[in-house]
Amino acid sequence: KTKAYRAFEKALLSETDPSVISVILNAIRTIGKTKLGISQTSLDELNITQINIGKEKAIRHIEKTLKPKK
């Protein structure tokens, strides 16, 4: 999970293609068992507005998950 999240974070920061971002968000939703505030329909229909919102939420989710525990 940690390796995947690091790769996803790097990809999300540089990727611009909505279809690729959609696949990454879907994988994060599955692995992280989180919805990220975006529906599957929005991902399937490539709703760019919702994908961009989901992208920001995904980055925050990854950062929170990878943050070292004290």
Side-chain angles (χ1 to χ4, degrees):
K1 181 176 176 178
T2 301
K3 280 179 133 179
Y5 269 16
R6 285 193 178 116
F8 290 150
E9 181 178 34
K10 185 176 179 182
L12 284 173
L13 293 172
S14 62
E15 188 57 58
T16 58
D17 184 345
S19 61
V20 174
I21 296 170
S22 174
V23 171
I24 294 169
L25 292 178
N26 199 34
I28 292 169
R29 288 176 58 185
T30 303
I31 293 171
K33 296 180 178 135
T34 180
K35 293 190 184 257
L36 300 174
I38 185 170
S39 69
Q40 186 63 46
T41 304
S42 293
L43 293 174
D44 292 342
E45 295 176 356
L46 298 179
N47 181 325
I48 294 173
T49 303
Q50 291 298 313
I51 287 174
N52 286 333
I53 292 169
K55 178 179 173 179
E56 295 301 319
K57 289 182 180 183
I59 291 169
R60 284 194 305 269
H61 172 74
I62 290 170
E63 288 171 348
K64 182 180 173 186
T65 303
L66 294 179
K67 185 177 172 182
K69 304 216 183 336
K70 292 182 180 182

